[in-house]
Amino acid sequence: AARASYGRGLGLQVGGRVPYVKPEERERLVKLLRKNRQVDNYPVTSKDSTGALIEVLVSAREVTFAGEVCVLAFSHVQTDRLRLEIELKETRDFLDAVIHNMDQGLIIVSEVDKKLVIDFANKRYGELFGIPDEWIAEPRKYTKQIIASRAKWRGGTPSSSKVVVDEMVASIVAGTEYSRRLEGLDGRILEARQRALPDGRMIRTF
């Protein structure tokens, strides 16, 4: 019975049809099945009929058949999906590298319930206005702090920061595009440009 010997049970019902390229994957599958009596979507590397490597999801259950405890297993090939996921991740990583290494600072802003939300900020934007990497990584969470830092760069106060936020929200709602010059306390002069995106958000570059 499979309960007495998972090695034989899995060898006949899983190993025979899904050849394991990595023995350790089969060993972990056996341990999980012994512990939980079932396994769902366990990823393994296998081979197809031509010998090419494929990625497979294996599910297995203990079942009783004719008074004997057996292992019922089935597999689902996911190579194409994994390949697409890898290609998508590589594309995203490439775009992230390009955007974060631009000479221009960039943010994407939106209005939610009449409140300003910074959906994205690149690293150059953080460098221009002295904003911590932690805030740049989670701009939606730190929108208020980011705006306050930019206002501080221009010599602003909390009250003036609120004015800036109100103006930004109004410009998003109205879809206002503009180009203007900003001067900081450090003497730097930056050109700020705002353009509308197709989804209603605004992209700002500095």
Side-chain angles (χ1 to χ4, degrees):
R3 185 185 298 275
S5 177
Y6 273 157
R8 179 172 177 78
L10 285 178
L12 290 174
Q13 300 194 42
V14 179
R17 297 182 182 179
V18 183
Y20 293 86
V21 175
K22 302 175 183 178
E24 63 272 17
E25 291 181 342
R26 181 184 185 283
E27 292 173 5
R28 285 197 294 268
L29 176 57
V30 169
K31 289 180 180 179
L32 287 172
L33 189 55
R34 282 174 176 161
K35 178 181 179 180
N36 302 317
R37 303 295 185 251
Q38 67 179 50
V39 176
D40 292 310
N41 296 324
Y42 180 84
V44 301
T45 302
S46 186
K47 292 182 179 181
D48 63 14
S49 59
T50 68
L53 293 179
I54 56 174
E55 300 300 325
V56 177
L57 292 178
V58 176
S59 295
R61 296 282 189 283
E62 270 195 6
V63 297
T64 301
F65 180 74
E68 293 288 332
V69 177
C70 306
V71 173
L72 174 65
F74 55 92
S75 60
H76 173 70
V77 178
Q78 60 168 353
T79 300
D80 289 342
R81 183 178 65 83
L82 282 178
R83 177 178 55 79
L84 291 175
E85 288 180 353
I86 291 172
E87 290 178 354
L88 180 59
K89 182 180 184 303
E90 290 176 346
T91 299
R92 286 175 174 170
D93 290 345
F94 172 74
L95 292 176
D96 282 346
V98 170
I99 291 173
H100 284 296
N101 287 281
M102 293 172 56
D103 290 333
Q104 291 178 309
L106 178 150
I107 60 172
I108 296 176
V109 296
S110 60
E111 175 268 332
V112 179
D113 296 330
K114 298 183 179 180
K115 295 181 180 179
L116 176 71
V117 174
I118 298 179
D119 297 307
F120 176 83
N122 71 351
K123 291 181 179 179
R124 180 57 177 156
Y125 180 86
E127 293 170 355
L128 286 172
F129 300 107
I131 298 171
D133 290 343
E134 179 185 0
W135 298 359
I136 294 298
E138 298 184 85
R140 295 178 66 91
K141 178 180 179 180
Y142 294 103
T143 291
K144 291 183 179 179
Q145 293 89 331
I146 292 173
I147 294 300
S149 290
R150 208 192 84 183
K152 184 178 179 181
W153 174 77
R154 300 185 65 188
T157 62
S159 59
S160 64
S161 178
K162 183 180 184 306
V163 172
V164 170
V165 170
D166 291 342
E167 290 179 348
M168 291 176 70
V169 170
S171 70
I172 295 171
V173 173
T176 305
E177 299 186 346
Y178 63 74
S179 177
R180 64 178 61 160
R181 287 158 61 89
L182 303 177
E183 183 173 357
L185 291 178
D186 56 9
R188 287 182 298 152
I189 298 176
L190 304 177
E191 181 179 14
R193 295 186 177 186
Q194 177 167 288
R195 296 289 182 270
L197 294 174
D199 61 4
R201 295 184 295 175
M202 290 290 183
I203 182 169
R204 290 186 164 202
T205 56
F206 301 83

